[in-house]
Amino acid sequence: MKITDVRTTVLITRSIIVQVFTDEGLVGLGECSPMHATIVSTFVDEVLKPRVLGLDPRCVDEVWSRMFYAPYKLGVQGVHLEAMSGVDIACWDILGKAVGMPIWQLLGGRYRERVTMYKSIGGGMGLAPAEMAAKVEQALAEGFRAVKIRMDWGPARQDADPAKDLAMFRACKKVTGDDALLSFDPNNGYSVSTAIRQGRRFEDLGIYHYEEPVAQYDYAGIAQVADALDVPVSAGEHEYTRWQFRDLITQAKVDIIQPDIVKSGGITETRRIAVLGDTYNKPFVPHQTQPTIGTAANLHLIASLVNANRPQEYTGVNPRLDALFRDPLRFADGQITVPTGPGLGLELAPGALERLRSPE
Ligand code: CA
């Protein structure tokens, strides 16, 4: 079997869908991180496609290496790895379709048939505490039993309004009570001392995990926060390869690793990262913002891993994107059923890709 074509489609949602075509008629589906969609899709078309044409897509590891090492000076993180992720996921989809098995089976079988998800709610810096609390209430009504609130501060707005963050957490905790888990993500927006002080208050109120408390590049600072607090500190959406995760684990001392499968090199590399995490006894809770192909790829990996039993990130059902598929992912009672069809277990609905294609 040989790869005959690789095509990218940027959707009106800025999602980047990758299709890998073969000489045997099988077509694989993949997805890249949607940030900087035009640049990432151009990287697939101009840099990766010429290097994978003619390769056997079932040799996922070799395809990964060809994409990684030849353009080494162009990236090794960011756009390069995000572009690779879409092609890698599509090759796994082809491998599964070729042998008639879901990807989780190819990865060694599954520990779970359904995966418990947490609702990830962002935009906190622009909301009043009561507005965020209403969103948390809505998430519980949708069936979630775990929620994360995100502030979106970023390192450039360091310590902008910790008092409001605390008021927001308190208001949301009143909604969840002890029935649902509540996590907090200032999106790298605290100094080390503020992160520790806030963290102690969140611990008193009851926090499940504390995500990216300080700047993503400050590994010594993350380690100080993780050392000072009991709550699990998590990070990983800014890291890409197993080598970066080695440093995140050993230098930043995070308690939970959060690679993103549409950023960090697809299923091939994210599995390596997950196994590295297991080596250090770190739970695997991938960052995920893409609720269809990206989430499906994650579900197969999560299902196959012993260290993936915490609630997993989900931005919620997106009917506009679900319309892409004949049989979209099924979410109910706070859980998504792991697909059982060959490959990813997702089939495009006829004409849907064209209908959702971005006009730009
Ligand atoms: Ca985050």
Side-chain angles (χ1 to χ4, degrees), residues 118 120 148 150 152 185-188 209 211-212 234-235 237-238 258 287 289 313:
Y118 73 77
S120 186
K148 178 178 79 191
R150 314 193 314 263
D152 299 303
D185 181 359
N187 295 97
N188 319 99
H209 87 246
E211 185 164 321
E212 292 202 300
S234 68
E237 68 181 84
H238 288 97
Q258 299 176 301
H287 176 255
T289 59
E313 182 162 27

Side-chain angles (χ1 to χ4, degrees), residues 94 104 257 338:
I94 291 169
W104 55 259
I257 54 166
V338 179

